[in-house]
Amino acid sequence: MRIAWRGAELKLLLPILLLVPFGFAVTNVALSGALETGDLTMAVGYVALIAVAHVVLVASGHRGDQLVLPAVGVMGGIGMIMLNRLPQDLAGTRAFGLELGMASTQLLWFAVGIVAMLAIAVGLRDDGILRHYKYSWAAVGIALLAATMLFGYEVNGARLWIDLGPVSIQPGELLKIVLVIFIAGYLAETRTLLTSASMRIGFLSVPPLPYFLPMLVLFAAVMLIVVRLNDLGTALLFFGIFLTMLFVATGRRSYVLIGLILFVAGFYVAYQMFGHVHARVDVWLDPFADPLGAGFQPVRAIYALGRGGLFGEGLGQGLVTLGGSLTIPFVHTDFIFTAIAEELGLLGAFALLGFAAVLVFRGLRIAALARDDFGALLAVGLTASLGLQTLIIIGGNTKLIPLTGITLPFVSYGGSSVVASFIMIGLLLAISHRSRTAEEASES
Amino acid sequence: MTSDIVRVLLLLAQLGFVALLYIVLMRFAGSLLRDLRSAEEAQITSRSGIGRLSVLESPADEPPDGSTIALGPINSIGRNVNNTIFVEDDFVSANHAMLTFRGRSWFVEDQGSTNGTYVNGHRIERAVALSFGDELTVGRVRMRLDR
């Protein structure tokens, strides 16, 4: 393997070396009130992890996209600054005789995630294993779901977690990736059939059913189970990913239209049938109806956004506590965006959105440059997943759409989410690397 | 007194932090723009780009092993030198197959060859739609359709 210098990546990573420790220092000064930078080991550890990722990519001669890792690095850095600033007993691990606070646990998961990302980005030289075994991947997905249904336990009314002794994992995060791989493999194979032949119902042209049915059945099954598990955010996310990939594969607007009609109908049925969907929508429409009960978190979140204003309250200076505990209980996961907007203001929140936008833009570019249909569809699916997740949770935080509990990629606290997001970045880098090397081989 | 100094410094640090975020974001934007420009130039100078064939295996080395063939909208494949894609292989017929770009996708059709045309290892009977990444085999020559 030849070394490939990644100059653009290095240039963008250098400011992060400054940014993250600086953020930690400002937070520490604000919290202690003394002019001391405080303990910066966590910040140094984070920066070191990102640097190691860069060095490994350079050393292995990786030719993949150079903006993805820096964008992830900044988002993760902002997340680490916030998580370090929050009370450390909100979450954490107690395993193997170690007792870790929230930020240290997150740092550990970042390490695991980055190792997974590098293994995939460097190790996945052939996508055959993803492409040819798509039904096996679908089976893995179903198995994950079944495991969650059988052995899972509930947190806040949604059954998402499986307890594995020292750690709990959220299989839904991995299911997301597996589902994208399956849909990409299926659509890459049947794409031409789906576009060339079609049936008509009235003015809508619908996909030819024989080719479409297997995927529709699987997808409907996944959706049903996810809704049964009360995981509305994930259901919405899967639906969005599916429609995006279908549109990109076929270029048919009518499919998207049909999908949206189905979505509205399905949502209406869920609204009528399930109490928790009803409750979510009611809280969304008027959180102030029950400000101390159901509307407690949303109301606090709106106040927090308001306190933040344009410039923010300052790192380490926001986050009102009531009787010693934070007013937003899920500030480290679902509501991390609110915390960022409160302490860094609208400007800081916009900057975070900007980095997420860079990530999505590069993901779509990787898809456009991909060598084959499978790679392109896979990249689109992964990018849609990261982008939609960001949109759904930020929309929920800002009361644009009903709140659904999913994580903000790379920012929210949560091992499964961090590792899954890094696996997605690894896949994107692998696709990008393969198209670049193919390009150069054909030129020489 | 000291707390006042701390407060002022904190305010400056806070603004500095947000400013730093935007400086980093601007550098990203710069990188994006540079990339877009160079991609534009590359597009002007290089192929029109509806697709190309990468030669994976070619025992007689015509087309050369490992080479890439730029494709027009209509390509004929065969052992006759008048074909757009000339293949030197004893198992290939004079006029072996047609590879055409119609509408939005690629199609391949066998021209009544003796040994047949294969897509991903399956012999084709009529015109078959190809996806990018599919393997096309005529005689002993294996090629892959790439974009």
Side-chain angles (χ1 to χ4, degrees), chain A residues 207-297:
Chain A
L209 274 183
Y211 308 119
F212 199 57
L213 216 52
M215 188 168 55
L216 209 60
V217 167
L218 179 91
F219 188 70
V222 169
M223 288 300 272
L224 269 181
I225 299 170
V226 169
V227 170
R228 282 285 300 160
L229 295 170
N230 289 355
D231 192 359
L232 294 175
T234 307
L236 180 61
L237 178 64
F238 283 178
F239 200 80
I241 295 171
F242 178 68
L243 270 193
T244 310
M245 290 178 77
L246 188 62
F247 177 64
V248 170
T250 62
R252 292 280 179 101
R253 286 197 190 85
S254 60
Y255 294 0
V256 177
L257 196 63
I258 295 169
L260 287 178
I261 293 169
L262 283 179
F263 176 74
V264 171
F267 183 78
Y268 185 74
V269 171
Y271 179 72
Q272 297 292 347
M273 274 175 61
F274 302 114
H276 60 277
V277 182
H278 215 297
R280 283 283 169 85
V281 174
D282 286 347
V283 168
W284 169 56
L285 289 174
D286 186 10
F288 291 94
D290 186 11
L292 295 175
F296 185 72
Q297 278 208 104

Side-chain angles (χ1 to χ4, degrees), chain A residues 315 343 347 362 365 442, chain B residues 14 22 34-35 52 147:
Chain A
L315 282 171
E343 298 213 323
L347 285 174
R362 292 308 277 199
R365 188 169 174 277
S442 73
Chain B
Q14 163 74 11
Y22 276 89
R34 254 195 310 284
D35 242 43
R52 54 206 161 115
R147 70 170 98 242

